[in-house]
Amino acid sequence: MEIKAIPFRKDGFSTQPFAFGAEEGPAAFDPAVKYRSGLTNYLIDTGDEVILVDTGLPAGTPEESPDETTPIYTGRDISSYMDALAALGYTPDQVTAILLTHKHSDHSGELRSFPNAKIYVNEEECSTDELAGIENIVPVSFTDGPYYNFPACQKIRDGITFIRAKGHTNGNSIVVAESDGLFYMIHGDITYTDEALYANKLSVVFEDLPAARETLDRVREFIRSHPTVYLSTHTPLGEENLAAKRVVDLDNPPETIPVGEVVFKTASGKYVCSVCGYVYDPAVGDPKQNIPAGTPFEELPEDWHCPRCRRGKDKFNRA
């Protein structure tokens, strides 16, 4: 079994209030403290099958245009997700299965590019807007009992387990791949940066805060008992951990690498939801909420919310 990273954005950042602020509140943390961010998904090559864990952003999703108030900036495009997959030497028809950690479009964006793959999804996510109209979904009900200290799992293949991990979303899941004595935990967004794992903090993005706390507690308990390589989506530490086969030691956090220079590009007028990836385009407006075409984002009502994930305007970044 070989696990590979599929990076498609780099050189972003998340602020400490965003990455740590769920329980104490963002005001308890320093917005000047920033952690490296990007976007990376993962692939498991068993030798017989090619299995994806998440499928990147939809092609054409604009880069954000950050400023000093931006809570998270996912970075600049390295390539599209599909081009990044091709750069590893894989084609869509080789992919037999996709394990979706959750519905958000930076994880589910290219599902439709793999019509021949079985897409395994927590059954609680199947009716969401992001997955509407996709026919090759296999709802997962986690009928294989506990996986160590996690109460519910589904065994996908030998050494590959899909684990219920509610909190970030109500249908959030974790994938653990076991290889050569190590446990590779591909977790979606249990944390947005590894610093939050070590500090035992939750991000401000959640659908069920008590469940998110329970899940993070179980993740940390698991890590203390098993040699775990922690593979994150929103930090280059995921790719770096994988390359080094670096096992988490919760009592000895790694030194934080400073965020590099961020280029503040000219804004397009579009805005991107930092939670689910929905793009508000003033040229289109928001017909679902009776916002006419031609309405700038700045003129949207203060109670306007993302039509996909229902988060407020404060969760949107300029594009």
Side-chain angles (χ1 to χ4, degrees), residues 37-182:
S37 184
L39 287 173
T40 302
N41 291 159
Y42 299 92
L43 175 152
I44 304 170
D45 189 334
T46 69
D48 299 316
E49 290 190 79
V50 176
I51 300 173
L52 303 180
V53 183
D54 297 340
T55 61
L57 284 165
T61 300
E63 294 180 18
E64 300 127 321
S65 179
D67 60 26
E68 292 78 3
T69 66
T70 301
I72 182 170
Y73 166 52
T74 58
R76 61 181 178 83
D77 290 332
I78 304 171
S79 68
S80 70
Y81 173 84
M82 296 303 292
D83 285 346
L85 179 66
L88 289 177
Y90 296 95
T91 60
D93 61 330
Q94 290 178 276
V95 177
T96 55
I98 299 170
L99 310 180
L100 185 68
T101 63
H102 64 288
K103 62 190 176 182
H104 292 157
S105 65
D106 49 345
H107 301 260
S108 64
E110 287 291 347
L111 289 178
R112 290 170 178 81
S113 297
F114 302 92
N116 299 321
K118 292 183 178 180
I119 303 171
Y120 294 86
V121 181
N122 185 326
E123 60 186 357
E124 296 187 46
E125 300 272 283
C126 291
S127 61
T128 60
D129 289 347
E130 292 89 341
L131 307 186
I134 301 177
E135 297 181 354
N136 47 323
I137 285 177
V138 179
V140 176
S141 53
F142 304 97
T143 57
D144 288 333
Y147 179 78
Y148 296 98
N149 63 313
F150 294 96
C153 82
Q154 196 83 31
K155 295 178 181 177
I156 303 298
R157 304 288 188 272
D158 287 344
I160 302 174
T161 307
F162 203 45
I163 301 164
R164 191 194 300 275
K166 182 175 181 176
H168 178 66
T169 69
N170 288 325
N172 205 75
S173 305
I174 291 170
V175 177
V176 174
E178 301 176 35
S179 180
D180 297 328
L182 297 178

Side-chain angles (χ1 to χ4, degrees), residues 204-217:
V204 297
V205 183
F206 55 83
E207 291 183 351
D208 186 327
L209 183 55
R213 166 44 60 193
E214 179 181 349
T215 291
L216 182 55
D217 288 346

Side-chain angles (χ1 to χ4, degrees), residues 1 4 26 35 46 63 78-79 82 121 167 186 190 196 224 252 309-310:
M1 182 187 298
K4 301 181 181 183
Y35 305 108
T46 69
E63 294 180 18
I78 304 171
S79 68
M82 296 303 292
V121 181
I186 309 172
I190 302 300
R224 286 199 181 278
N252 292 285
C309 73
R310 304 190 66 80

